[in-house]
Amino acid sequence: MREKRVYRQRALWAGAVVLAVAGAARAGSLPSVSSGARPGPDVLYAPAPAAPQLENRNPRFTAPPLLVSGQEAYVAGEYLYQDFLYDDYGSDTDGQGANGLSPRVGDITYPTNTARYGGNAADLVELRIAVAPDSVAYRITLNTLLEADSTIVVIAFDTDHNAATGALTLPRDPGAPFPGTDEAITVWGTGAEHTRFPVVGLPVTTPLTDLITDLEANQITVIVPRTISNPSGTWRATVAAGLYDPMTGGWLRPQQSASATMPGGAGLLDPTPCGIFNLAFRFGEAVMHCQNPPDTIHCDVPPDTKQAVSIRNKTPTDFAHDIDFDKLDLGVTESTVPATGLQIRLFPSRLDLGEGRGDIPQEPDFGTFPQYHGQLQPYSLYIPSTYSPGTPAGLTLNLHSLGEHYWQYHGATIVQQIGEARGNLVATALGRGPDGWCLHEAEYDAFEMWNDVAAHFNLDADRMASSGYSMGGYCTYRLPTLYPDLFGKAFTQVGPPGDGIWVPPAPPTAGIETLTNLWLENARNIPYLNVAASSDELVPIAGPRAQNLGAPEQGIRGFDQLGYRFRFLVFSPSDHLAQAINGYNYPFSTGFLDTASVDRNPPHVTFASVPASDDASRGLVHDHAYWVSEVRLKSTAGGSTPAKGVIDALSHAFGMGDPPSTPGTTAGSVPPFTYTEANRTWGAAPAIPAENRVDLTLRNLASARLDMARASLDPAHALTLAVDADTDAVLELDGGFPACSRVVRDGTVVGPPLTVPGGILLDVAAGTHTYVIACTSAFDLRRLVLTRRGPGSDRLMLRAFMPSTLAALGLPGADVTVKLGNSGGSFFMATVPAARLVPNAAGTMLRFRDPSGTLAGGITGLSIGGRRQVTLRVRGDNLNLAGAAPGAFDAEVDVGSFEFTRAGNLRARGTRLVFP
């Protein structure tokens, strides 16, 4: 047998088997675009992080983790039980807490020595059992394990299912009886032992020396030889965790108040609590069984609800559970993880916030955010009964309220309305705490959760919505407007537009930088459904009204002033919690959200960037949407509101104008409430001429980037940008612009644009200007003769060498236009249509002939081509060249979108003007 060893470094695990537990998202489950910036933050697409707690470092264990709490599985000789995260609160000593606004029912607090206990050291994550002919391996994974001997865990077996046999009290007594215990395995990180309780005689205790404690993986593995314990058939097990007492070798027992070395929390209902913080096999906790609404009173409860009562009653064997060792010996594979319905899942985070739990976040004092530090984070996921892994399903985020948790909507009608009825998965994040407001770590957590759902389920990335109550409503105002190209629709319930209370003209109580109205322009392509309460004591209606209907007298524009699609319903009589008590019942939400289809490339994009909303350290930079990205401000100095820059871009290439916006009002009822509604709807988008043109309005922008392809703009042809800017700016235009491109501003050639990898840079001047980017390369004009015989009788002859090939010019297939002008303006322009240019048999020459001169503005003959050099020859008869005169002139030849120019001087020679 081996000596016990404490491994701190992964490298010490030679030959370890490590599983990738949360791989890349399924193909198509996350948003994708053909080019340009991806929608949303990078974390949404990040690969799975290393997650030591989920790894199999001992080759005895090979099965992937379940990742679904309150479930078990047998996998080819292994048994797995996945427990709940952050449910280690011990006894319910005060009879309080079994409600949605409490994170716990148990009241036991950890010793104040956070370096040793981290406020979370007895939190079971997983139990594994693996059999072999000569031994049985047991592995306990903890959420927090900062010191090897901080935690004590017992696995008590009732081998004969008879509570009257065996022992009542464990040798290392936690202060609660375990009736019927025939064998017990006790581990405490630096030691382990097996105890047998024979029918006759004293208990027999045998040290277990094959013990490994991995402080990086928070795993304790003990190998028990079958000569010591030889399980077979079905053994009933009870597993309990608590804090190890290094002085006595037993369990620390809570006192009234915690100290550095002792837990606290004793109360009137349990003045002498036992040392158990957490129990396994809690398959019956109400939090995971609420499928049929409305039953939020019994379902919106912490996951330790039943555990806390059993620990208070000192009946831990309430959660005794049969382990079938015959199934293990036979290699049976089966799982209780449901394919549809409710799952409480966990994922490994990419954030390193250390281990443990901070202040216990109990309303109204939530402690210091973030409260939940560990790498493993929980969330709730509802899977509709119609879900099939072979068919992509939509996803709806349903974000929780202030003081609430991932289980808020369990048993709520809304989950059926926005999830089951729409065939959508519905996900609710913990958000690292009850008061994260989808800022910083909480915002990051929402996207990590989304990433994890995409890794395990087949999602239709183009069917995406957000919903939330109260603080979750704020999150739904926030996330879809900061990342508008991720969402198709949004639904808020009694949500404040800012963090805290917003009663205009005052800023939100948590800061003006949290006010989503500052960047509400971004919701152009996202319809919103917003429900408010008539007598809301926590979210005064003045804020939601301003967000929706505006407050022009205070300079506030709402959805209504912006002309955007919205529905604003005011429920009456309703205070802040009335709608929650009514089961979150919104029957109109199903039809409103519908498919929640996302338009990644809309014709019209408006995007406001407010850097004060960013968290650059976590990659949460809100500077892109749709085909606009890398938005940078000219001035970052704010005043009464944070600095803000706005770009408004309308691409004419789609051939669609802005839809007409129509206001409306209506009323209705959702008993016991009635409601009034103000709204705006859009009609069909009108057709406009499809042009290679984009209209831009820039406010306080230093630079921005536009993706030509996703805006349906063609850089290979003349591109027009009509720009209204309040300051000089630089636009980076992504696309394959020809090398011959020139910038023409307000009719004057500025010069070639600066090329950058993948596109060009366009300098934009303050004011209103029109920019055209097109090929304006020079051509070699060899001869031009204008014969003036009188209006209607003049002639033209032109010969030139073109600096390109027919194919490069897009010929055949392009019109050819010839223009001549001088200081007095244009005196000749004619176009030969592409359809009139006839190629020769070899394809080296195109010819046009029309003796009448009526088909192409007076041109009677044109040829272009040649085997070695492209030569252009043009003749025209019966022209009016009265505007021609000796002196400077400009010649221009346009072939499709390619523009070629040449300047020179005409000399008079009798009735002719000639060049050179």
Side-chain angles (χ1 to χ4, degrees), residues 374-389:
Q375 183 181 25
L376 301 183
Q377 292 294 310
Y379 67 96
S380 172
L381 184 70
Y382 179 82
I383 307 155
S385 62
T386 55
Y387 174 75
S388 170

mmCIF file with all atom_site columns, all heavy atoms in Angstrom, residues 374-389:
data_model
loop_
_atom_site.group_PDB
_atom_site.id
_atom_site.type_symbol
_atom_site.label_atom_id
_atom_site.label_alt_id
_atom_site.label_comp_id
_atom_site.label_asym_id
_atom_site.label_entity_id
_atom_site.label_seq_id
_atom_site.pdbx_PDB_ins_code
_atom_site.Cartn_x
_atom_site.Cartn_y
_atom_site.Cartn_z
_atom_site.occupancy
_atom_site.B_iso_or_equiv
_atom_site.pdbx_formal_charge
_atom_site.auth_seq_id
_atom_site.auth_comp_id
_atom_site.auth_asym_id
_atom_site.auth_atom_id
_atom_site.pdbx_PDB_model_num
ATOM 1   N N   . GLY A 1 374 ? -15.870 30.401 -6.851  1.00 0.00 ? 374 GLY A N   1
ATOM 2   C CA  . GLY A 1 374 ? -15.260 29.202 -7.407  1.00 0.00 ? 374 GLY A CA  1
ATOM 3   C C   . GLY A 1 374 ? -15.345 29.101 -8.915  1.00 0.00 ? 374 GLY A C   1
ATOM 4   O O   . GLY A 1 374 ? -16.134 29.786 -9.576  1.00 0.00 ? 374 GLY A O   1
ATOM 5   N N   . GLN A 1 375 ? -14.525 28.215 -9.483  1.00 0.00 ? 375 GLN A N   1
ATOM 6   C CA  . GLN A 1 375 ? -14.543 28.047 -10.933 1.00 0.00 ? 375 GLN A CA  1
ATOM 7   C C   . GLN A 1 375 ? -15.851 27.435 -11.410 1.00 0.00 ? 375 GLN A C   1
ATOM 8   O O   . GLN A 1 375 ? -16.344 27.778 -12.479 1.00 0.00 ? 375 GLN A O   1
ATOM 9   C CB  . GLN A 1 375 ? -13.375 27.162 -11.399 1.00 0.00 ? 375 GLN A CB  1
ATOM 10  C CG  . GLN A 1 375 ? -13.340 27.053 -12.926 1.00 0.00 ? 375 GLN A CG  1
ATOM 11  C CD  . GLN A 1 375 ? -12.239 26.181 -13.450 1.00 0.00 ? 375 GLN A CD  1
ATOM 12  O OE1 . GLN A 1 375 ? -11.750 25.296 -12.762 1.00 0.00 ? 375 GLN A OE1 1
ATOM 13  N NE2 . GLN A 1 375 ? -11.834 26.413 -14.693 1.00 0.00 ? 375 GLN A NE2 1
ATOM 14  N N   . LEU A 1 376 ? -16.421 26.536 -10.631 1.00 0.00 ? 376 LEU A N   1
ATOM 15  C CA  . LEU A 1 376 ? -17.672 25.906 -11.040 1.00 0.00 ? 376 LEU A CA  1
ATOM 16  C C   . LEU A 1 376 ? -18.837 26.818 -10.678 1.00 0.00 ? 376 LEU A C   1
ATOM 17  O O   . LEU A 1 376 ? -18.943 27.291 -9.542  1.00 0.00 ? 376 LEU A O   1
ATOM 18  C CB  . LEU A 1 376 ? -17.833 24.548 -10.363 1.00 0.00 ? 376 LEU A CB  1
ATOM 19  C CG  . LEU A 1 376 ? -16.732 23.520 -10.650 1.00 0.00 ? 376 LEU A CG  1
ATOM 20  C CD1 . LEU A 1 376 ? -17.060 22.201 -9.967  1.00 0.00 ? 376 LEU A CD1 1
ATOM 21  C CD2 . LEU A 1 376 ? -16.526 23.320 -12.151 1.00 0.00 ? 376 LEU A CD2 1
ATOM 22  N N   . GLN A 1 377 ? -19.708 27.059 -11.655 1.00 0.00 ? 377 GLN A N   1
ATOM 23  C CA  . GLN A 1 377 ? -20.854 27.936 -11.452 1.00 0.00 ? 377 GLN A CA  1
ATOM 24  C C   . GLN A 1 377 ? -22.125 27.243 -11.930 1.00 0.00 ? 377 GLN A C   1
ATOM 25  O O   . GLN A 1 377 ? -22.119 26.566 -12.952 1.00 0.00 ? 377 GLN A O   1
ATOM 26  C CB  . GLN A 1 377 ? -20.655 29.258 -12.195 1.00 0.00 ? 377 GLN A CB  1
ATOM 27  C CG  . GLN A 1 377 ? -19.543 30.123 -11.630 1.00 0.00 ? 377 GLN A CG  1
ATOM 28  C CD  . GLN A 1 377 ? -19.859 30.621 -10.228 1.00 0.00 ? 377 GLN A CD  1
ATOM 29  O OE1 . GLN A 1 377 ? -20.933 31.155 -9.975  1.00 0.00 ? 377 GLN A OE1 1
ATOM 30  N NE2 . GLN A 1 377 ? -18.912 30.428 -9.308  1.00 0.00 ? 377 GLN A NE2 1
ATOM 31  N N   . PRO A 1 378 ? -23.235 27.427 -11.216 1.00 0.00 ? 378 PRO A N   1
ATOM 32  C CA  . PRO A 1 378 ? -24.476 26.739 -11.569 1.00 0.00 ? 378 PRO A CA  1
ATOM 33  C C   . PRO A 1 378 ? -25.406 27.605 -12.412 1.00 0.00 ? 378 PRO A C   1
ATOM 34  O O   . PRO A 1 378 ? -25.302 28.833 -12.430 1.00 0.00 ? 378 PRO A O   1
ATOM 35  C CB  . PRO A 1 378 ? -25.103 26.473 -10.196 1.00 0.00 ? 378 PRO A CB  1
ATOM 36  C CG  . PRO A 1 378 ? -24.688 27.674 -9.393  1.00 0.00 ? 378 PRO A CG  1
ATOM 37  C CD  . PRO A 1 378 ? -23.318 28.079 -9.903  1.00 0.00 ? 378 PRO A CD  1
ATOM 38  N N   . TYR A 1 379 ? -26.323 26.948 -13.083 1.00 0.00 ? 379 TYR A N   1
ATOM 39  C CA  . TYR A 1 379 ? -27.415 27.648 -13.753 1.00 0.00 ? 379 TYR A CA  1
ATOM 40  C C   . TYR A 1 379 ? -28.578 26.688 -13.949 1.00 0.00 ? 379 TYR A C   1
ATOM 41  O O   . TYR A 1 379 ? -28.425 25.468 -13.849 1.00 0.00 ? 379 TYR A O   1
ATOM 42  C CB  . TYR A 1 379 ? -26.979 28.254 -15.083 1.00 0.00 ? 379 TYR A CB  1
ATOM 43  C CG  . TYR A 1 379 ? -26.617 27.283 -16.193 1.00 0.00 ? 379 TYR A CG  1
ATOM 44  C CD1 . TYR A 1 379 ? -27.555 26.930 -17.169 1.00 0.00 ? 379 TYR A CD1 1
ATOM 45  C CD2 . TYR A 1 379 ? -25.334 26.751 -16.306 1.00 0.00 ? 379 TYR A CD2 1
ATOM 46  C CE1 . TYR A 1 379 ? -27.220 26.069 -18.209 1.00 0.00 ? 379 TYR A CE1 1
ATOM 47  C CE2 . TYR A 1 379 ? -24.993 25.901 -17.342 1.00 0.00 ? 379 TYR A CE2 1
ATOM 48  C CZ  . TYR A 1 379 ? -25.940 25.563 -18.296 1.00 0.00 ? 379 TYR A CZ  1
ATOM 49  O OH  . TYR A 1 379 ? -25.608 24.708 -19.327 1.00 0.00 ? 379 TYR A OH  1
ATOM 50  N N   . SER A 1 380 ? -29.728 27.254 -14.214 1.00 0.00 ? 380 SER A N   1
ATOM 51  C CA  . SER A 1 380 ? -30.932 26.465 -14.450 1.00 0.00 ? 380 SER A CA  1
ATOM 52  C C   . SER A 1 380 ? -31.226 26.445 -15.941 1.00 0.00 ? 380 SER A C   1
ATOM 53  O O   . SER A 1 380 ? -31.105 27.475 -16.621 1.00 0.00 ? 380 SER A O   1
ATOM 54  C CB  . SER A 1 380 ? -32.117 27.071 -13.692 1.00 0.00 ? 380 SER A CB  1
ATOM 55  O OG  . SER A 1 380 ? -33.321 26.421 -14.046 1.00 0.00 ? 380 SER A OG  1
ATOM 56  N N   . LEU A 1 381 ? -31.626 25.277 -16.434 1.00 0.00 ? 381 LEU A N   1
ATOM 57  C CA  . LEU A 1 381 ? -31.963 25.145 -17.854 1.00 0.00 ? 381 LEU A CA  1
ATOM 58  C C   . LEU A 1 381 ? -33.248 24.349 -17.998 1.00 0.00 ? 381 LEU A C   1
ATOM 59  O O   . LEU A 1 381 ? -33.354 23.231 -17.483 1.00 0.00 ? 381 LEU A O   1
ATOM 60  C CB  . LEU A 1 381 ? -30.832 24.441 -18.615 1.00 0.00 ? 381 LEU A CB  1
ATOM 61  C CG  . LEU A 1 381 ? -31.046 24.327 -20.134 1.00 0.00 ? 381 LEU A CG  1
ATOM 62  C CD1 . LEU A 1 381 ? -30.944 25.703 -20.790 1.00 0.00 ? 381 LEU A CD1 1
ATOM 63  C CD2 . LEU A 1 381 ? -30.036 23.371 -20.752 1.00 0.00 ? 381 LEU A CD2 1
ATOM 64  N N   . TYR A 1 382 ? -34.211 24.948 -18.678 1.00 0.00 ? 382 TYR A N   1
ATOM 65  C CA  . TYR A 1 382 ? -35.432 24.225 -19.020 1.00 0.00 ? 382 TYR A CA  1
ATOM 66  C C   . TYR A 1 382 ? -35.339 23.785 -20.473 1.00 0.00 ? 382 TYR A C   1
ATOM 67  O O   . TYR A 1 382 ? -35.044 24.588 -21.368 1.00 0.00 ? 382 TYR A O   1
ATOM 68  C CB  . TYR A 1 382 ? -36.676 25.102 -18.824 1.00 0.00 ? 382 TYR A CB  1
ATOM 69  C CG  . TYR A 1 382 ? -37.944 24.357 -19.203 1.00 0.00 ? 382 TYR A CG  1
ATOM 70  C CD1 . TYR A 1 382 ? -38.537 23.479 -18.307 1.00 0.00 ? 382 TYR A CD1 1
ATOM 71  C CD2 . TYR A 1 382 ? -38.517 24.506 -20.457 1.00 0.00 ? 382 TYR A CD2 1
ATOM 72  C CE1 . TYR A 1 382 ? -39.678 22.765 -18.648 1.00 0.00 ? 382 TYR A CE1 1
ATOM 73  C CE2 . TYR A 1 382 ? -39.661 23.798 -20.809 1.00 0.00 ? 382 TYR A CE2 1
ATOM 74  C CZ  . TYR A 1 382 ? -40.237 22.933 -19.905 1.00 0.00 ? 382 TYR A CZ  1
ATOM 75  O OH  . TYR A 1 382 ? -41.354 22.220 -20.256 1.00 0.00 ? 382 TYR A OH  1
ATOM 76  N N   . ILE A 1 383 ? -35.595 22.497 -20.712 1.00 0.00 ? 383 ILE A N   1
ATOM 77  C CA  . ILE A 1 383 ? -35.525 21.920 -22.054 1.00 0.00 ? 383 ILE A CA  1
ATOM 78  C C   . ILE A 1 383 ? -36.940 21.519 -22.458 1.00 0.00 ? 383 ILE A C   1
ATOM 79  O O   . ILE A 1 383 ? -37.566 20.690 -21.777 1.00 0.00 ? 383 ILE A O   1
ATOM 80  C CB  . ILE A 1 383 ? -34.598 20.692 -22.073 1.00 0.00 ? 383 ILE A CB  1
ATOM 81  C CG1 . ILE A 1 383 ? -33.237 21.064 -21.480 1.00 0.00 ? 383 ILE A CG1 1
ATOM 82  C CG2 . ILE A 1 383 ? -34.438 20.147 -23.482 1.00 0.00 ? 383 ILE A CG2 1
ATOM 83  C CD1 . ILE A 1 383 ? -32.488 19.890 -20.897 1.00 0.00 ? 383 ILE A CD1 1
ATOM 84  N N   . PRO A 1 384 ? -37.491 22.085 -23.515 1.00 0.00 ? 384 PRO A N   1
ATOM 85  C CA  . PRO A 1 384 ? -38.888 21.798 -23.855 1.00 0.00 ? 384 PRO A CA  1
ATOM 86  C C   . PRO A 1 384 ? -39.080 20.337 -24.248 1.00 0.00 ? 384 PRO A C   1
ATOM 87  O O   . PRO A 1 384 ? -38.145 19.664 -24.701 1.00 0.00 ? 384 PRO A O   1
ATOM 88  C CB  . PRO A 1 384 ? -39.161 22.745 -25.035 1.00 0.00 ? 384 PRO A CB  1
ATOM 89  C CG  . PRO A 1 384 ? -37.824 22.989 -25.642 1.00 0.00 ? 384 PRO A CG  1
ATOM 90  C CD  . PRO A 1 384 ? -36.849 22.989 -24.489 1.00 0.00 ? 384 PRO A CD  1
ATOM 91  N N   . SER A 1 385 ? -40.302 19.868 -24.080 1.00 0.00 ? 385 SER A N   1
ATOM 92  C CA  . SER A 1 385 ? -40.599 18.466 -24.372 1.00 0.00 ? 385 SER A CA  1
ATOM 93  C C   . SER A 1 385 ? -40.414 18.142 -25.844 1.00 0.00 ? 385 SER A C   1
ATOM 94  O O   . SER A 1 385 ? -40.245 16.982 -26.211 1.00 0.00 ? 385 SER A O   1
ATOM 95  C CB  . SER A 1 385 ? -42.026 18.141 -23.940 1.00 0.00 ? 385 SER A CB  1
ATOM 96  O OG  . SER A 1 385 ? -42.964 18.926 -24.664 1.00 0.00 ? 385 SER A OG  1
ATOM 97  N N   . THR A 1 386 ? -40.433 19.157 -26.685 1.00 0.00 ? 386 THR A N   1
ATOM 98  C CA  . THR A 1 386 ? -40.276 18.938 -28.132 1.00 0.00 ? 386 THR A CA  1
ATOM 99  C C   . THR A 1 386 ? -38.827 18.890 -28.570 1.00 0.00 ? 386 THR A C   1
ATOM 100 O O   . THR A 1 386 ? -38.548 18.657 -29.750 1.00 0.00 ? 386 THR A O   1
ATOM 101 C CB  . THR A 1 386 ? -40.983 20.060 -28.907 1.00 0.00 ? 386 THR A CB  1
ATOM 102 O OG1 . THR A 1 386 ? -40.479 21.328 -28.451 1.00 0.00 ? 386 THR A OG1 1
ATOM 103 C CG2 . THR A 1 386 ? -42.492 20.009 -28.678 1.00 0.00 ? 386 THR A CG2 1
ATOM 104 N N   . TYR A 1 387 ? -37.897 19.106 -27.637 1.00 0.00 ? 387 TYR A N   1
ATOM 105 C CA  . TYR A 1 387 ? -36.489 19.180 -28.046 1.00 0.00 ? 387 TYR A CA  1
ATOM 106 C C   . TYR A 1 387 ? -35.992 17.828 -28.539 1.00 0.00 ? 387 TYR A C   1
ATOM 107 O O   . TYR A 1 387 ? -36.213 16.787 -27.919 1.00 0.00 ? 387 TYR A O   1
ATOM 108 C CB  . TYR A 1 387 ? -35.606 19.645 -26.888 1.00 0.00 ? 387 TYR A CB  1
ATOM 109 C CG  . TYR A 1 387 ? -34.126 19.600 -27.219 1.00 0.00 ? 387 TYR A CG  1
ATOM 110 C CD1 . TYR A 1 387 ? -33.557 20.560 -28.048 1.00 0.00 ? 387 TYR A CD1 1
ATOM 111 C CD2 . TYR A 1 387 ? -33.307 18.583 -26.738 1.00 0.00 ? 387 TYR A CD2 1
ATOM 112 C CE1 . TYR A 1 387 ? -32.215 20.522 -28.373 1.00 0.00 ? 387 TYR A CE1 1
ATOM 113 C CE2 . TYR A 1 387 ? -31.962 18.538 -27.048 1.00 0.00 ? 387 TYR A CE2 1
ATOM 114 C CZ  . TYR A 1 387 ? -31.423 19.515 -27.872 1.00 0.00 ? 387 TYR A CZ  1
ATOM 115 O OH  . TYR A 1 387 ? -30.094 19.465 -28.203 1.00 0.00 ? 387 TYR A OH  1
ATOM 116 N N   . SER A 1 388 ? -35.307 17.864 -29.665 1.00 0.00 ? 388 SER A N   1
ATOM 117 C CA  . SER A 1 388 ? -34.628 16.693 -30.208 1.00 0.00 ? 388 SER A CA  1
ATOM 118 C C   . SER A 1 388 ? -33.217 17.104 -30.583 1.00 0.00 ? 388 SER A C   1
ATOM 119 O O   . SER A 1 388 ? -33.032 18.141 -31.242 1.00 0.00 ? 388 SER A O   1
ATOM 120 C CB  . SER A 1 388 ? -35.365 16.173 -31.447 1.00 0.00 ? 388 SER A CB  1
ATOM 121 O OG  . SER A 1 388 ? -34.585 15.185 -32.107 1.00 0.00 ? 388 SER A OG  1
ATOM 122 N N   . PRO A 1 389 ? -32.203 16.346 -30.163 1.00 0.00 ? 389 PRO A N   1
ATOM 123 C CA  . PRO A 1 389 ? -30.821 16.740 -30.472 1.00 0.00 ? 389 PRO A CA  1
ATOM 124 C C   . PRO A 1 389 ? -30.556 16.921 -31.958 1.00 0.00 ? 389 PRO A C   1
ATOM 125 O O   . PRO A 1 389 ? -29.621 17.631 -32.340 1.00 0.00 ? 389 PRO A O   1
ATOM 126 C CB  . PRO A 1 389 ? -29.994 15.588 -29.889 1.00 0.00 ? 389 PRO A CB  1
ATOM 127 C CG  . PRO A 1 389 ? -30.851 15.014 -28.812 1.00 0.00 ? 389 PRO A CG  1
ATOM 128 C CD  . PRO A 1 389 ? -32.257 15.141 -29.320 1.00 0.00 ? 389 PRO A CD  1
#
